[in-house]
Amino acid sequence: ERQKPPFRGNGLEQRAARLRAIPAAEVLRRIEQGDRDWLGKLRGWGRHAEGADLLVVQNALLEERDPLKLAQLFAVFGGRTLPVFDARLLEHGESPDHELRRLALHALGKNTHESVRRYALERLSARPSDPTLLSRLVHNYARGDERQIDAALVAQPSDAAAHALVWSLLDIYERN
């Protein structure tokens, strides 16, 4: 009969410890080299990294101009807030690069900040059927935003867009 290996603790805790042990300089080096194998690790690393390491990555985010590298840097913050919110990062929500725009808006939407709320409401006025903008209000909703949200309840161009809209609405109302 086969024996079970000895219990070695929670696998998630071990993974988090391994990710925390990776210094920010290594993450930046991999992004600079264009290491595509690291794309999946960036969000996990960001979720478990220490504040000082995240600040190093955020500073690189403020200085970088290459859309591919910017997208990867934003991926680090896909599962948590920025160490210090900087409204200059909102400009990437207007990028012509779809992936950069998507990752930037996703990361920035995790932050509770008046600039994020204002950004989302201004864009919703211009593009009321854009379901990605609603998700920026999950952490930035204020009483009275219902009128703008109601305007987004229009026919969506696809099932995927309708799905995103409904999930954003659920997230907003559950949190607020």
Side-chain angles (χ1 to χ4, degrees):
E1 185 177 318
R2 206 171 187 190
Q3 290 186 343
K4 292 181 182 178
F7 180 73
R8 296 191 179 166
N10 184 330
L12 293 175
E13 289 174 13
Q14 291 174 346
R15 180 174 186 267
R18 281 193 309 272
L19 288 169
R20 259 191 310 277
I22 300 168
E26 176 67 10
V27 171
L28 295 177
R29 185 180 70 74
R30 296 289 186 117
I31 290 172
E32 184 62 36
Q33 291 176 340
D35 188 341
R36 307 288 288 166
D37 293 336
W38 268 63
L39 290 176
K41 291 182 184 177
L42 292 172
R43 185 173 175 172
W45 180 85
R47 184 176 289 137
H48 298 290
E50 299 293 331
D53 282 332
L54 290 169
L55 202 49
V56 169
V57 173
Q58 182 176 344
N59 288 335
L61 186 59
L62 289 166
E63 295 175 16
E64 186 59 58
R65 293 293 160 240
D66 178 87
L68 178 61
K69 292 174 186 170
L70 279 165
Q72 292 174 2
L73 290 164
F74 271 114
V76 167
F77 298 103
R80 70 179 306 154
T81 60
L82 294 160
V84 179
F85 184 78
D86 191 317
R88 293 177 293 175
L89 294 171
L90 287 167
E91 74 185 41
H92 299 297
E94 301 300 315
S95 172
D97 183 284
H98 172 74
E99 189 66 1
L100 170 55
R101 187 174 60 248
R102 183 183 72 78
L103 289 167
L105 289 174
H106 179 74
L108 294 168
K110 299 225 173 274
N111 296 270
T112 302
H113 196 275
E114 182 58 30
S115 296
V116 176
R117 179 175 172 275
R118 197 170 37 254
Y119 176 91
L121 292 174
E122 287 170 3
R123 268 82 189 161
L124 270 173
S125 293
R127 300 186 315 250
S129 63
D130 186 345
T132 62
L133 291 170
L134 281 180
S135 62
R136 306 301 76 86
L137 293 175
V138 172
H139 298 281
N140 293 286
Y141 175 86
R143 192 166 254 176
D145 291 346
E146 301 86 17
R147 288 181 289 278
Q148 304 252 183
I149 292 171
D150 288 346
L153 300 176
V154 297
Q156 295 295 312
S158 69
D159 288 343
H163 179 83
L165 175 79
V166 169
W167 277 110
S168 292
L169 288 171
L170 284 172
D171 288 343
I172 289 169
Y173 291 124
E174 280 180 359
R175 181 162 173 90
N176 299 289

